[in-house]
């Protein structure tokens, strides 16, 4: 995104951007993966452009909006829009890691995330909070794998209840960035998913 204006970057807009990129690159039914907010983008893409992906993989995102989580997300968005932005941002980022996560890699991630301007961070989170992933999940027509780092039962039950095309998996010993800190586990899960559900050999 190159536009720094203080607007809401809706998940639908981001999904359409990814679809445009896939079509521009002439990708033939790609398997599309997304982490965190990117998982929401990938799911929305599959719902809005059902003929595009062969399958999707979502990592560490949620559609299970409990009242507590909803309140927490709204408070986070409010904080990101406020003068306390840096404090709220730093607390949010710190909560994404485990104490056992590699410290050097952790610091690199924190530095990169902290470089995002306030208006963009706030706009992205606002777009995510306003997004209803249940609608996209019900519209899914391709195989999907959801990989969690926490094994959140609400996410698994919610996704599978919304659409039986969702399969679920859980990594061990990594926080929110499990695709980086437990890459061997994530890669093995994705490869098995592709073999069994999509009949592809990586």
């Amino acid at each position: 995104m190159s536009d720094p204006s203080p607007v809401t970057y809706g998940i639908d807009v981001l999904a359409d951007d990814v679809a445009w990129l896939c079509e521009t690159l002439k990708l033939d039914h790609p398997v599309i993966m997304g982490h965190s907010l990117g998982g929401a983008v990938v799911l929305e893409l599959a719902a809005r452009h059902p003929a595009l992906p062969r399958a999707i993989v979502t990592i560490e995102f949620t559609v299970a909006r409990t009242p507590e989580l909803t309140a927490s997300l709204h408070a986070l968005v409010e904080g990101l829009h406020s003068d306390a932005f840096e404090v709220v941002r730093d607390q949010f980022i710190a909560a994404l890691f485990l104490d056992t996560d590699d410290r050097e890699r952790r610091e690199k991630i924190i530095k990169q995330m902290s470089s995002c301007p306030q208006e963009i961070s706030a706009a992205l989170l606002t777009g995510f909070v306003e997004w209803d992933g249940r609608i996209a999940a019900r519209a899914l027509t391709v195989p999907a794998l959801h990989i969690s780092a926490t094994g959140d039962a609400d996410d698994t039950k919610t996704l599978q209840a919304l659409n039986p095309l969702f399969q679920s998996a859980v990594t061990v010993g990594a926080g929110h960035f499990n695709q980086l800190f437990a890459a061997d586990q994530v890669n093995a899960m994705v490869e098995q998913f592709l073999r069994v559900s999509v009949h592809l050999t990586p």
Side-chain angles (χ1 to χ4, degrees), residues 56-77:
I56 63 169
V57 178
T58 61
I59 303 174
E60 272 293 287
F61 92 109
T62 181
V63 298
R65 300 285 180 88
T66 63
E68 294 78 13
L69 177 58
T70 298
S72 177
L73 287 172
H74 281 289
L76 173 61
V77 167

Side-chain angles (χ1 to χ4, degrees), residues 38-53:
V41 173
V42 167
L43 178 55
E44 182 69 19
L45 178 148
R48 294 172 64 84
H49 305 273
L52 177 58

Side-chain angles (χ1 to χ4, degrees), residues 133-190:
R134 296 168 299 179
I135 296 173
R138 290 190 189 101
L140 182 72
T141 59
V142 298
L145 172 65
H146 175 61
I147 302 176
S148 169
T150 60
D152 192 319
D154 288 339
D155 284 333
T156 299
K157 291 178 182 178
T158 299
L159 286 169
Q160 293 180 340
L162 290 169
N163 198 316
L165 286 171
F166 262 107
Q167 300 181 49
S168 62
V170 181
T171 55
V172 177
H176 183 65
F177 295 93
N178 54 347
Q179 84 283 12
L180 298 176
F181 294 107
D184 54 341
Q185 297 180 51
V186 171
N187 290 341
M189 292 173 180
V190 173

Side-chain angles (χ1 to χ4, degrees), residues 87-105:
V87 173
V88 173
R89 177 201 64 197
D90 292 348
Q91 291 175 343
F92 169 69
I93 294 175
L96 301 176
F97 298 92
L98 299 182
D99 291 340
T100 52
D101 287 339
D102 179 78
R103 185 168 297 277
E104 182 178 353
R105 175 170 284 174

Side-chain angles (χ1 to χ4, degrees), residues 109-123:
I109 295 171
I110 291 174
K111 182 178 180 180
Q112 184 175 22
M113 291 186 70
S114 299
S115 69
C116 186
Q118 178 178 2
E119 62 271 19
I120 302 300
S121 298

Side-chain angles (χ1 to χ4, degrees), residues 1 3-11 14 37 77 80-81 85 116-130:
M1 293 171 295
D3 178 10
S5 60
V7 298
T8 298
Y9 288 109
I11 298 299
L14 300 177
L37 185 143
V77 167
L80 292 176
H81 281 283
F85 165 72
C116 186
Q118 178 178 2
E119 62 271 19
I120 302 300
S121 298
L124 285 170
L125 264 295
T126 300
F128 176 70
V129 170
E130 293 177 350

